[in-house]
Amino acid sequence: MGAEQVAERFTELYGAGPEGVWAAPGRVNLIGEHTDYNDGFVMPFALPHQAVAAVSRRDDGVLRLHSEDVEGGVVELRLDALAPGTDQAWTAYPAGVVWALREAGHEVTGADIHLSSTVPTGAGLSSSAALEVVIALALNDLYDLGLQRWRLARLCQRAENVYVGAPTGIMDQTASACCEQGHALFLDTRDLSQQQIPFDLVAGGLRLLVVDTQVKHAHSGGEYGKRRAGCEKGAALLGVDALRDIPYDGLDAALARLGDEEEIVRLVRHVVTEDERVERTVALLRAGDTRAIGPVLTEGHASLRDDFRISCPELDLVVDTALANGALGARMTGGGFGGSAIVLAEATDVDTLTKAIEEAFAAAAFTRPRVFEAVPSAGARRLV
Protein backbone atom coordinates (compact mmCIF):
# COMPACT_ATOMS: atom_id res chain seq x y z
CA MET A 1 0.00 0.00 0.00
CA GLY A 2 1.16 3.53 -0.78
CA ALA A 3 1.25 6.43 1.66
CA GLU A 4 -2.20 7.69 0.66
CA GLN A 5 -3.87 4.31 1.12
CA VAL A 6 -2.17 3.78 4.48
CA ALA A 7 -3.34 7.22 5.60
CA GLU A 8 -6.88 6.53 4.41
CA ARG A 9 -6.98 3.21 6.25
CA PHE A 10 -5.69 4.94 9.39
CA THR A 11 -8.59 7.38 9.16
CA GLU A 12 -11.07 4.52 8.82
CA LEU A 13 -9.62 2.80 11.87
CA TYR A 14 -9.16 5.74 14.21
CA GLY A 15 -11.69 8.33 13.03
CA ALA A 16 -9.20 11.07 12.14
CA GLY A 17 -6.28 11.46 9.78
CA PRO A 18 -2.69 10.68 10.86
CA GLU A 19 -0.13 13.33 11.68
CA GLY A 20 2.20 11.77 9.15
CA VAL A 21 3.23 8.71 7.17
CA TRP A 22 6.72 7.20 7.31
CA ALA A 23 8.53 4.35 5.53
CA ALA A 24 11.52 2.12 6.38
CA PRO A 25 12.96 -0.54 4.06
CA GLY A 26 14.06 -4.11 4.40
CA ARG A 27 17.62 -4.89 3.46
CA VAL A 28 19.86 -7.32 1.65
CA ASN A 29 23.27 -7.97 3.14
CA LEU A 30 25.74 -8.05 0.27
CA ILE A 31 28.55 -9.51 2.40
CA GLY A 32 29.40 -9.72 6.10
CA GLU A 33 27.20 -12.35 7.75
CA HIS A 34 27.19 -12.97 11.52
CA THR A 35 29.98 -10.43 11.91
CA ASP A 36 27.87 -7.65 13.39
CA TYR A 37 27.58 -9.09 16.89
CA ASN A 38 31.32 -9.79 16.74
CA ASP A 39 32.14 -6.06 16.36
CA GLY A 40 33.00 -6.68 12.71
CA PHE A 41 32.22 -5.29 9.27
CA VAL A 42 29.00 -5.60 7.27
CA MET A 43 27.80 -4.30 3.92
CA PRO A 44 24.03 -4.16 3.50
CA PHE A 45 21.90 -2.11 1.15
CA ALA A 46 18.25 -1.16 1.38
CA LEU A 47 15.52 -2.78 -0.69
CA PRO A 48 12.59 -1.00 -2.35
CA HIS A 49 10.36 -3.22 -0.19
CA GLN A 50 9.34 -1.27 2.91
CA ALA A 51 7.17 -0.98 5.98
CA VAL A 52 4.88 2.03 5.89
CA ALA A 53 3.31 3.51 9.04
CA ALA A 54 0.66 6.18 9.54
CA VAL A 55 1.01 7.57 13.06
CA SER A 56 -0.53 10.13 15.40
CA ARG A 57 0.36 11.03 18.97
CA ARG A 58 -1.75 10.33 22.05
CA ASP A 59 -1.40 11.85 25.50
CA ASP A 60 -3.22 9.23 27.59
CA GLY A 61 -0.58 6.49 27.91
CA VAL A 62 -2.29 4.27 25.34
CA LEU A 63 -0.69 2.59 22.31
CA ARG A 64 -3.08 1.41 19.60
CA LEU A 65 -1.68 -0.81 16.84
CA HIS A 66 -3.10 -2.22 13.63
CA SER A 67 -1.44 -4.04 10.73
CA GLU A 68 -2.86 -4.50 7.25
CA ASP A 69 -0.83 -7.71 7.00
CA VAL A 70 -2.12 -9.52 10.10
CA GLU A 71 -5.63 -10.73 10.70
CA GLY A 72 -7.45 -9.05 13.56
CA GLY A 73 -8.54 -5.64 14.74
CA VAL A 74 -6.83 -2.82 16.58
CA VAL A 75 -4.68 -3.94 19.53
CA GLU A 76 -4.69 -1.57 22.51
CA LEU A 77 -1.83 -1.57 25.02
CA ARG A 78 -1.05 0.51 28.10
CA LEU A 79 2.41 2.06 28.03
CA ASP A 80 2.93 1.51 31.75
CA ALA A 81 2.29 -2.22 31.24
CA LEU A 82 4.90 -2.72 28.50
CA ALA A 83 7.61 -5.12 29.66
CA PRO A 84 10.02 -7.56 27.99
CA GLY A 85 8.63 -11.03 27.42
CA THR A 86 4.97 -10.06 27.79
CA ASP A 87 4.11 -10.12 24.08
CA GLN A 88 4.74 -12.99 21.66
CA ALA A 89 2.75 -11.51 18.75
CA TRP A 90 3.74 -9.13 15.93
CA THR A 91 2.87 -6.22 18.21
CA ALA A 92 6.03 -6.90 20.25
CA TYR A 93 8.12 -5.14 17.58
CA PRO A 94 6.41 -1.71 17.58
CA ALA A 95 5.60 -1.96 21.30
CA GLY A 96 9.23 -2.83 22.01
CA VAL A 97 10.37 0.36 20.27
CA VAL A 98 8.03 2.45 22.41
CA TRP A 99 9.29 0.64 25.50
CA ALA A 100 12.94 1.22 24.50
CA LEU A 101 12.36 4.93 23.87
CA ARG A 102 10.62 5.41 27.21
CA GLU A 103 13.21 3.35 29.09
CA ALA A 104 15.90 5.59 27.62
CA GLY A 105 14.15 8.58 29.13
CA HIS A 106 12.29 9.92 26.09
CA GLU A 107 8.80 11.21 26.78
CA VAL A 108 6.45 9.25 24.54
CA THR A 109 2.90 9.46 25.85
CA GLY A 110 1.08 7.21 23.37
CA ALA A 111 0.30 6.70 19.70
CA ASP A 112 -2.20 5.44 17.18
CA ILE A 113 -0.41 3.40 14.49
CA HIS A 114 -1.46 1.65 11.29
CA LEU A 115 1.12 -0.42 9.41
CA SER A 116 1.48 -2.05 6.03
CA SER A 117 4.61 -3.82 4.76
CA THR A 118 5.87 -5.27 1.50
CA VAL A 119 9.03 -6.74 3.08
CA PRO A 120 8.72 -10.55 2.89
CA THR A 121 8.61 -12.07 6.37
CA GLY A 122 10.90 -14.93 7.33
CA ALA A 123 13.02 -14.39 4.22
CA GLY A 124 16.13 -12.99 5.91
CA LEU A 125 15.39 -9.50 4.56
CA SER A 126 14.87 -7.76 7.92
CA SER A 127 11.11 -7.33 7.95
CA SER A 128 11.25 -6.90 11.72
CA ALA A 129 13.91 -4.18 11.55
CA ALA A 130 11.86 -2.27 8.97
CA LEU A 131 8.89 -2.41 11.33
CA GLU A 132 10.96 -1.19 14.26
CA VAL A 133 12.73 1.60 12.41
CA VAL A 134 9.59 3.06 10.84
CA ILE A 135 8.01 3.35 14.31
CA ALA A 136 11.17 4.84 15.84
CA LEU A 137 11.52 7.43 13.09
CA ALA A 138 7.85 8.43 13.30
CA LEU A 139 7.96 8.88 17.07
CA ASN A 140 11.30 10.69 16.86
CA ASP A 141 9.72 13.20 14.48
CA LEU A 142 6.36 13.53 16.21
CA TYR A 143 7.78 13.91 19.71
CA ASP A 144 10.72 16.02 18.50
CA LEU A 145 13.21 13.74 20.26
CA GLY A 146 16.14 14.87 18.11
CA LEU A 147 17.76 11.44 17.94
CA GLN A 148 20.27 10.73 15.16
CA ARG A 149 19.66 7.78 12.85
CA TRP A 150 22.39 5.62 14.38
CA ARG A 151 20.92 6.14 17.84
CA LEU A 152 17.44 5.19 16.62
CA ALA A 153 18.98 2.01 15.23
CA ARG A 154 20.56 1.25 18.62
CA LEU A 155 17.22 1.67 20.38
CA CYS A 156 15.52 -0.57 17.81
CA GLN A 157 18.19 -3.22 18.35
CA ARG A 158 17.56 -3.01 22.09
CA ALA A 159 13.85 -3.46 21.48
CA GLU A 160 14.51 -6.63 19.48
CA ASN A 161 17.17 -8.01 21.84
CA VAL A 162 15.47 -7.31 25.15
CA TYR A 163 11.75 -6.82 24.50
CA VAL A 164 11.28 -9.39 21.71
CA GLY A 165 14.09 -11.66 22.86
CA ALA A 166 15.95 -12.10 19.56
CA PRO A 167 19.76 -11.77 19.95
CA THR A 168 20.35 -9.90 16.67
CA GLY A 169 23.22 -7.52 15.95
CA ILE A 170 23.04 -3.87 14.93
CA MET A 171 23.26 -4.28 11.15
CA ASP A 172 19.60 -4.66 10.20
CA GLN A 173 18.30 -1.60 12.02
CA THR A 174 21.23 0.56 10.88
CA ALA A 175 20.73 -0.48 7.27
CA SER A 176 17.03 0.35 7.39
CA ALA A 177 17.68 3.70 9.03
CA CYS A 178 20.81 4.86 7.21
CA CYS A 179 21.19 3.36 3.71
CA GLU A 180 21.19 5.62 0.65
CA GLN A 181 19.82 4.98 -2.81
CA GLY A 182 22.36 3.55 -5.25
CA HIS A 183 24.83 2.64 -2.48
CA ALA A 184 25.82 -0.17 -0.16
CA LEU A 185 26.56 0.73 3.45
CA PHE A 186 30.02 -0.20 4.72
CA LEU A 187 29.41 -0.30 8.46
CA ASP A 188 31.89 -0.86 11.25
CA THR A 189 29.65 -2.33 13.93
CA ARG A 190 32.15 -1.53 16.71
CA ASP A 191 32.09 2.27 16.42
CA LEU A 192 29.11 2.53 14.02
CA SER A 193 31.16 4.53 11.52
CA GLN A 194 29.59 4.43 8.07
CA GLN A 195 30.74 4.81 4.50
CA GLN A 196 28.34 4.90 1.56
CA ILE A 197 29.90 2.83 -1.25
CA PRO A 198 28.51 3.41 -4.78
CA PHE A 199 26.80 0.23 -5.99
CA ASP A 200 25.24 0.93 -9.39
CA LEU A 201 24.53 -2.46 -10.87
CA VAL A 202 22.49 -1.28 -13.84
CA ALA A 203 25.21 1.03 -15.12
CA GLY A 204 27.56 -1.95 -15.25
CA GLY A 205 25.10 -4.22 -17.04
CA LEU A 206 24.65 -6.32 -13.91
CA ARG A 207 21.77 -7.44 -11.72
CA LEU A 208 21.52 -8.83 -8.19
CA LEU A 209 18.71 -11.31 -7.74
CA VAL A 210 17.15 -12.23 -4.43
CA VAL A 211 15.84 -15.79 -4.29
CA ASP A 212 13.43 -16.26 -1.39
CA THR A 213 13.45 -19.99 -0.76
CA GLN A 214 10.14 -19.75 1.17
CA VAL A 215 11.85 -21.62 4.01
CA LYS A 216 11.01 -19.59 7.09
CA HIS A 217 13.44 -18.92 9.89
CA ALA A 218 13.14 -17.35 13.33
CA HIS A 219 15.99 -15.38 14.91
CA SER A 220 14.60 -15.96 18.37
CA GLY A 221 15.12 -19.70 17.84
CA GLY A 222 17.95 -21.46 19.62
CA GLU A 223 20.39 -22.07 16.76
CA TYR A 224 21.12 -18.40 16.14
CA GLY A 225 21.72 -17.89 19.86
CA LYS A 226 24.05 -20.90 19.96
CA ARG A 227 26.22 -19.44 17.22
CA ARG A 228 26.42 -16.12 19.00
CA ALA A 229 27.31 -17.76 22.31
CA GLY A 230 29.96 -19.84 20.53
CA CYS A 231 31.55 -16.72 19.07
CA GLU A 232 31.62 -15.09 22.49
CA LYS A 233 33.26 -18.21 23.92
CA GLY A 234 35.87 -18.11 21.17
CA ALA A 235 36.70 -14.49 21.92
CA ALA A 236 37.03 -15.31 25.63
CA LEU A 237 39.32 -18.29 24.97
CA LEU A 238 41.51 -16.11 22.75
CA GLY A 239 41.61 -13.27 25.27
CA VAL A 240 40.03 -10.60 23.03
CA ASP A 241 36.98 -8.41 23.45
CA ALA A 242 35.45 -9.69 20.20
CA LEU A 243 36.46 -11.84 17.23
CA ARG A 244 36.94 -8.61 15.27
CA ASP A 245 40.23 -8.32 17.16
CA ILE A 246 41.73 -11.45 15.58
CA PRO A 247 43.73 -10.24 12.55
CA TYR A 248 43.28 -12.13 9.30
CA ASP A 249 47.03 -12.78 9.01
CA GLY A 250 47.02 -14.16 12.55
CA LEU A 251 44.08 -16.52 12.06
CA ASP A 252 46.06 -19.77 11.80
CA ALA A 253 47.88 -19.06 15.03
CA ALA A 254 44.62 -18.19 16.78
CA LEU A 255 42.94 -21.39 15.60
CA ALA A 256 45.91 -23.44 16.80
CA ARG A 257 45.46 -21.95 20.28
CA LEU A 258 41.88 -23.25 20.37
CA GLY A 259 43.11 -26.84 20.26
CA ASP A 260 40.36 -29.44 19.98
CA GLU A 261 37.48 -26.95 20.33
CA GLU A 262 36.28 -27.97 16.85
CA GLU A 263 33.00 -26.07 16.84
CA ILE A 264 34.62 -22.88 18.16
CA VAL A 265 37.38 -23.20 15.55
CA ARG A 266 34.79 -23.23 12.78
CA LEU A 267 32.91 -20.23 14.13
CA VAL A 268 36.07 -18.18 14.63
CA ARG A 269 37.37 -19.05 11.15
CA HIS A 270 34.14 -17.89 9.54
CA VAL A 271 33.97 -14.57 11.35
CA VAL A 272 37.60 -13.60 10.74
CA THR A 273 37.55 -14.59 7.06
CA GLU A 274 34.16 -12.92 6.55
CA ASP A 275 35.47 -9.61 7.86
CA GLU A 276 38.29 -9.90 5.33
CA ARG A 277 35.76 -10.61 2.57
CA VAL A 278 33.89 -7.41 3.43
CA GLU A 279 37.07 -5.36 3.18
CA ARG A 280 37.95 -7.05 -0.13
CA THR A 281 34.48 -6.29 -1.51
CA VAL A 282 34.74 -2.62 -0.51
CA ALA A 283 38.11 -2.34 -2.28
CA LEU A 284 36.76 -3.94 -5.46
CA LEU A 285 33.70 -1.70 -5.58
CA ARG A 286 35.78 1.40 -4.99
CA ALA A 287 37.99 0.30 -7.89
CA GLY A 288 34.89 -0.06 -10.09
CA ASP A 289 35.38 -3.82 -10.48
CA THR A 290 31.90 -4.96 -9.49
CA ARG A 291 32.07 -8.25 -11.40
CA ALA A 292 35.05 -9.33 -9.32
CA ILE A 293 32.99 -9.43 -6.13
CA GLY A 294 31.15 -12.52 -7.46
CA PRO A 295 33.75 -15.08 -6.31
CA VAL A 296 33.93 -13.30 -2.92
CA LEU A 297 30.20 -13.82 -2.46
CA THR A 298 30.58 -17.49 -3.32
CA GLU A 299 33.45 -17.88 -0.83
CA GLY A 300 31.16 -16.40 1.79
CA HIS A 301 28.48 -19.00 1.11
CA ALA A 302 30.96 -21.87 1.45
CA SER A 303 32.06 -20.47 4.81
CA LEU A 304 28.49 -20.07 6.06
CA ARG A 305 27.64 -23.58 4.87
CA ASP A 306 30.72 -25.45 6.07
CA ASP A 307 32.04 -23.46 9.04
CA PHE A 308 29.02 -21.65 10.47
CA ARG A 309 26.68 -24.44 9.32
CA ILE A 310 23.58 -22.31 8.88
CA SER A 311 22.67 -23.09 5.28
CA CYS A 312 19.98 -25.54 4.19
CA PRO A 313 19.34 -27.71 1.08
CA GLU A 314 17.21 -25.03 -0.56
CA LEU A 315 19.85 -22.32 -0.16
CA ASP A 316 22.60 -24.61 -1.39
CA LEU A 317 20.49 -25.53 -4.42
CA VAL A 318 20.07 -21.86 -5.35
CA VAL A 319 23.81 -21.24 -5.15
CA ASP A 320 24.84 -24.41 -6.97
CA THR A 321 22.26 -23.96 -9.74
CA ALA A 322 23.09 -20.30 -10.24
CA LEU A 323 26.82 -20.96 -10.52
CA ALA A 324 26.22 -23.84 -12.93
CA ASN A 325 24.20 -21.53 -15.16
CA GLY A 326 26.60 -18.63 -15.49
CA ALA A 327 26.14 -16.53 -12.35
CA LEU A 328 29.13 -14.41 -11.35
CA GLY A 329 28.62 -15.32 -7.69
CA ALA A 330 25.98 -16.39 -5.21
CA ARG A 331 25.50 -16.87 -1.49
CA MET A 332 22.89 -17.15 1.22
CA THR A 333 22.07 -13.86 2.92
CA GLY A 334 20.62 -13.13 6.34
CA GLY A 335 20.62 -15.14 9.55
CA GLY A 336 20.39 -18.54 7.88
CA PHE A 337 18.39 -21.72 8.45
CA GLY A 338 16.26 -20.71 5.47
CA GLY A 339 15.42 -17.34 4.05
CA SER A 340 17.03 -15.98 0.90
CA ALA A 341 20.07 -16.23 -1.34
CA ILE A 342 21.52 -13.55 -3.60
CA VAL A 343 22.83 -14.08 -7.13
CA LEU A 344 25.11 -11.63 -8.96
CA ALA A 345 24.62 -11.96 -12.71
CA GLU A 346 24.96 -10.30 -16.06
CA ALA A 347 21.69 -8.58 -16.96
CA THR A 348 21.40 -10.77 -20.04
CA ASP A 349 21.47 -13.95 -17.92
CA VAL A 350 18.65 -13.10 -15.51
CA ASP A 351 15.87 -14.95 -17.33
CA THR A 352 18.02 -18.04 -17.85
CA LEU A 353 19.07 -18.12 -14.21
CA THR A 354 15.55 -17.58 -12.91
CA LYS A 355 14.20 -20.41 -15.04
CA ALA A 356 17.03 -22.76 -14.03
CA ILE A 357 16.49 -22.10 -10.32
CA GLU A 358 12.74 -22.58 -10.56
CA GLU A 359 13.19 -25.83 -12.49
CA ALA A 360 15.74 -27.10 -9.98
CA PHE A 361 13.32 -26.43 -7.11
CA ALA A 362 10.53 -28.22 -8.95
CA ALA A 363 12.77 -31.23 -9.62
CA ALA A 364 13.67 -31.38 -5.92
CA ALA A 365 9.99 -31.09 -4.92
CA PHE A 366 10.73 -27.86 -3.04
CA THR A 367 8.24 -25.01 -2.75
CA ARG A 368 8.49 -22.65 -5.73
CA PRO A 369 10.93 -19.85 -4.81
CA ARG A 370 10.21 -16.16 -5.17
CA VAL A 371 12.79 -14.42 -7.37
CA PHE A 372 13.10 -10.64 -7.67
CA GLU A 373 15.69 -8.01 -8.46
CA ALA A 374 17.36 -6.20 -5.57
CA VAL A 375 17.76 -2.49 -6.31
CA PRO A 376 19.85 -0.44 -3.84
CA SER A 377 17.23 1.95 -2.43
CA ALA A 378 16.68 4.76 0.05
CA GLY A 379 16.63 4.28 3.80
CA ALA A 380 13.91 5.32 6.23
CA ARG A 381 12.14 8.60 5.54
CA ARG A 382 8.98 10.60 6.10
CA LEU A 383 6.57 10.33 3.17
CA VAL A 384 3.75 12.66 4.21
Side-chain angles (χ1 to χ4, degrees):
M1 297 178 73
E4 290 185 5
Q5 293 117 314
V6 173
E8 289 172 1
R9 182 68 172 129
F10 180 100
T11 304
E12 293 173 8
L13 290 164
Y14 299 118
E19 293 184 80
V21 180
W22 290 258
R27 66 96 186 98
V28 163
N29 191 24
L30 181 63
I31 192 74
E33 219 65 78
H34 289 268
T35 50
D36 58 346
Y37 54 80
N38 289 291
D39 283 2
F41 304 123
V42 295
M43 200 172 186
F45 64 88
L47 288 167
H49 307 73
Q50 58 190 10
V52 179
V55 185
S56 285
R57 288 168 291 182
R58 298 178 65 94
D59 59 6
D60 58 358
V62 170
L63 177 64
R64 294 197 294 181
L65 301 165
H66 184 269
S67 172
E68 198 70 29
D69 311 305
V70 181
E71 290 186 10
V74 174
V75 177
E76 184 170 312
L77 303 170
R78 294 287 313 177
L79 298 190
D80 55 13
L82 298 180
T86 59
D87 190 350
Q88 301 301 313
W90 70 271
T91 49
Y93 294 97
V97 172
V98 176
W99 168 83
L101 285 167
R102 285 167 55 84
E103 192 202 36
H106 303 293
E107 188 174 351
V108 176
T109 56
D112 287 338
I113 297 171
H114 171 60
L115 289 150
S116 179
S117 179
T118 57
V119 185
T121 58
L125 303 176
S126 296
S127 59
S128 60
L131 191 59
E132 293 156 359
V133 169
V134 74
I135 300 302
L137 182 61
L139 296 176
N140 187 51
D141 287 353
L142 288 176
Y143 282 97
D144 197 23
L145 303 180
L147 297 172
Q148 294 177 290
R149 295 296 184 95
W150 69 268
R151 193 171 294 279
L152 289 177
R154 275 288 195 208
L155 287 166
C156 289
Q157 182 200 15
R158 178 162 176 75
E160 188 151 351
N161 288 174
V162 180
Y163 197 91
V164 178
T168 55
I170 190 62
M171 174 182 67
D172 296 348
Q173 292 84 2
T174 305
S176 186
C178 300
C179 278
E180 294 182 4
Q181 185 171 348
H183 293 75
L185 179 69
F186 178 34
L187 173 66
D188 182 334
T189 65
R190 169 163 282 172
D191 61 13
L192 297 188
S193 60
Q194 304 175 19
Q195 298 177 48
Q196 301 287 344
I197 308 298
F199 190 45
D200 190 346
L201 293 160
V202 174
L206 300 172
R207 299 292 186 272
L208 191 77
L209 300 179
V210 175
V211 183
D212 177 4
T213 64
Q214 307 286 341
V215 177
K216 303 301 181 185
H217 70 95
H219 271 175
S220 54
E223 291 300 317
Y224 184 98
K226 288 179 184 177
R227 301 305 189 281
R228 183 165 184 165
C231 290
E232 291 169 353
K233 180 180 177 180
L237 289 172
L238 292 168
V240 294
D241 290 336
L243 295 183
R244 149 74 172 277
D245 296 314
I246 304 300
Y248 180 70
D249 59 7
L251 176 59
D252 289 343
L255 297 183
R257 288 167 55 199
L258 291 172
D260 60 358
E261 293 273 3
E262 180 184 350
E263 181 179 359
I264 304 302
V265 165
R266 288 190 286 99
L267 297 178
V268 171
R269 182 166 54 219
H270 166 74
V271 172
V272 176
T273 59
E274 187 79 346
D275 274 335
E276 188 273 339
R277 281 186 285 271
V278 177
E279 294 184 291
R280 214 183 328 155
T281 299
V282 170
L284 290 168
L285 291 179
R286 281 179 171 154
D289 197 359
T290 304
R291 282 173 176 79
I293 73 172
V296 186
L297 303 183
T298 305
E299 285 177 31
H301 182 76
S303 182
L304 290 161
R305 180 193 64 210
D306 300 336
D307 275 345
F308 230 67
R309 299 188 181 180
I310 57 170
S311 189
C312 66
E314 291 85 353
L315 288 168
D316 292 341
L317 184 59
V318 173
V319 172
D320 293 343
T321 303
L323 295 174
N325 285 272
L328 298 170
R331 76 171 190 92
M332 59 155 285
T333 187
F337 313 106
S340 298
I342 56 175
V343 178
L344 181 67
E346 303 287 351
T348 52
D349 291 338
V350 165
D351 290 343
T352 299
L353 284 165
T354 301
K355 182 180 179 182
I357 292 167
E358 290 175 345
E359 289 178 347
F361 268 57
F366 292 154
T367 301
R368 182 185 177 94
R370 179 186 180 206
V371 184
F372 60 92
E373 183 180 343
V375 180
S377 301
R381 61 208 181 280
R382 187 169 187 162
L383 300 178
V384 177

